[in-house]
Amino acid sequence: MTVWTPEISISGLAARLERMSSLLRAVAANPPALAGVILVSLLVVMAALAPLLAPFDPTAQDLANRLLPPGGAHLFGTDELGRDVASRILFGARITLRMVLLVSVIVAPLGLLIGITAGYFGGWVEQALMRVTDVFLAFPKLILALALVSAIGPSLENAIFAIAATSWPAYARVARAESVLLRRADFIAAARLLGASPWRILSLHIAPLCVSSVLVRLTLDMAGIVLTAAGLGFLGLGAQPPLPEWGAMMAAGRQYLTDQWWVAAVPGGAILLASLGFNLLGDGLRDAMDSRDPGR
């Protein structure tokens, strides 16, 4: 029986810190990944400091100053109701980041649990879980999310649920592929011989080794979450007015695109930069993981 000692705990913590340090160095040495870190960090700062950075109330209307061009007191101009576009972009970052985080904390654990369960047990358990996964994968995520939101009603919470309900199968596939290989490993056989239960093996041995692959996939998919959320908002199925959601802002400004271009172009640029940042960060993490593991 293994006896816990402070030395074992400290050495394990040191090993984890060293792995994290090497990962951070690999990301810092990759210029595109570093650009992704900067863009994502900017999004987080915008969301966290929106009440301090926003010069105006994002929902306050001023019809006397509607459709003002960028400049002066209104850095990005005003929209069709006289609301400051810059302030709405800052508070819209909160909505976007909230949707990304809530979807992430739902789909990653759910996909990981389903994937490692299917991969470890195999047989009819794997067949049943993977066939359900295949059903969800058979439909484009945006189309299925549109159908779900249309059925349960447009709102921010329903949009989050719809995106999460259509995004988990990819993580289940990744986790299942990893666990199929791990269940044949010698250390798993040794854990079985020592009397470890299947759920203990899954939670303590297999799941931690699958987390890195799931996290890399999650970071890459965050750009897709941003775009799907913006698409639902553009169609009026996401956050409802007067919430400053970027997709809804683009939808409201598209009729002014030829003359007052900033009303739609500024939120469109915010969506572009946010999705680009998550894409670059995900690519950098994937490259860093591959470089640390030559067998991948």
Side-chain angles (χ1 to χ4, degrees):
M1 181 176 67
T2 302
V3 179
W4 181 88
T5 63
E7 291 79 8
I8 293 176
S9 178
I10 293 173
S11 63
L13 177 61
R16 287 193 292 270
L17 291 175
E18 176 59 29
R19 288 195 296 270
M20 182 174 295
S21 176
S22 64
L23 177 62
L24 293 176
R25 287 194 299 269
V27 171
N30 187 333
L34 190 58
V37 171
I38 293 173
L39 289 173
V40 173
S41 300
L42 180 61
L43 176 65
V44 173
V45 170
M46 288 170 56
L49 302 181
L52 300 177
L53 298 176
F56 298 94
D57 185 339
T59 60
Q61 301 181 15
D62 184 7
L63 297 179
N65 292 313
R66 62 189 299 271
L67 298 176
L68 291 180
H74 301 282
L75 181 62
F76 293 145
T78 60
D79 64 7
E80 73 280 2
L81 297 176
R83 297 171 296 192
D84 183 64
V85 174
S87 299
R88 290 178 64 78
I89 290 294
L90 289 170
F91 277 89
R94 286 189 156 192
I95 296 175
T96 298
L97 195 61
R98 177 187 173 189
M99 296 185 75
V100 169
L101 290 178
L102 288 178
V103 170
S104 299
V105 299
I106 294 172
V107 300
L110 178 61
L112 179 64
L113 176 62
I114 292 174
I116 62 176
T117 302
Y120 178 77
F121 288 103
W124 68 268
V125 174
E126 180 181 18
Q127 291 297 320
L129 292 176
M130 287 301 99
R131 295 301 75 78
V132 173
T133 303
D134 290 341
V135 170
F136 279 87
L137 287 174
F139 299 92
K141 287 195 296 185
L142 180 57
I143 302 300
L144 190 54
L146 286 173
L148 287 175
V149 176
S150 299
I152 60 180
S155 70
L156 179 61
E157 292 75 16
N158 290 344
I160 293 172
F161 169 76
I163 297 173
T166 58
S167 300
W168 64 267
Y171 307 96
R173 280 289 181 184
V174 171
R176 180 253 177 196
E178 295 268 357
S179 57
V180 164
L181 297 176
L182 290 171
R183 73 183 181 188
R184 302 187 180 96
D186 292 339
F187 71 94
I188 297 297
R192 290 196 196 98
L193 290 175
L194 290 174
S197 67
W199 297 112
R200 183 177 179 84
I201 292 173
L202 285 173
S203 60
L204 297 183
H205 300 288
I206 293 181
L209 294 176
C210 298
V211 166
S212 60
S213 298
V214 170
L215 288 179
V216 170
R217 178 60 190 254
L218 179 62
T219 310
L220 287 168
D221 281 355
M222 283 180 177
I225 296 173
V226 171
L227 294 175
T228 304
L232 292 176
F234 186 87
L235 296 173
L237 298 175
Q240 299 299 299
L243 291 178
E245 198 275 323
W246 293 344
M249 291 173 64
M250 284 188 63
R254 68 184 186 276
Q255 58 182 315
Y256 307 103
L257 194 57
T258 55
D259 297 320
Q260 290 83 25
W261 53 268
W262 58 89
V263 182
V266 172
I271 295 170
L272 171 64
L273 292 177
S275 58
L276 178 63
F278 284 120
N279 261 330
L280 293 176
L281 178 59
D283 285 337
L285 286 177
R286 181 183 58 192
D287 294 343
M289 293 288 186
D290 289 344
S291 66
R292 292 192 308 146
D293 187 0
R296 293 177 68 90

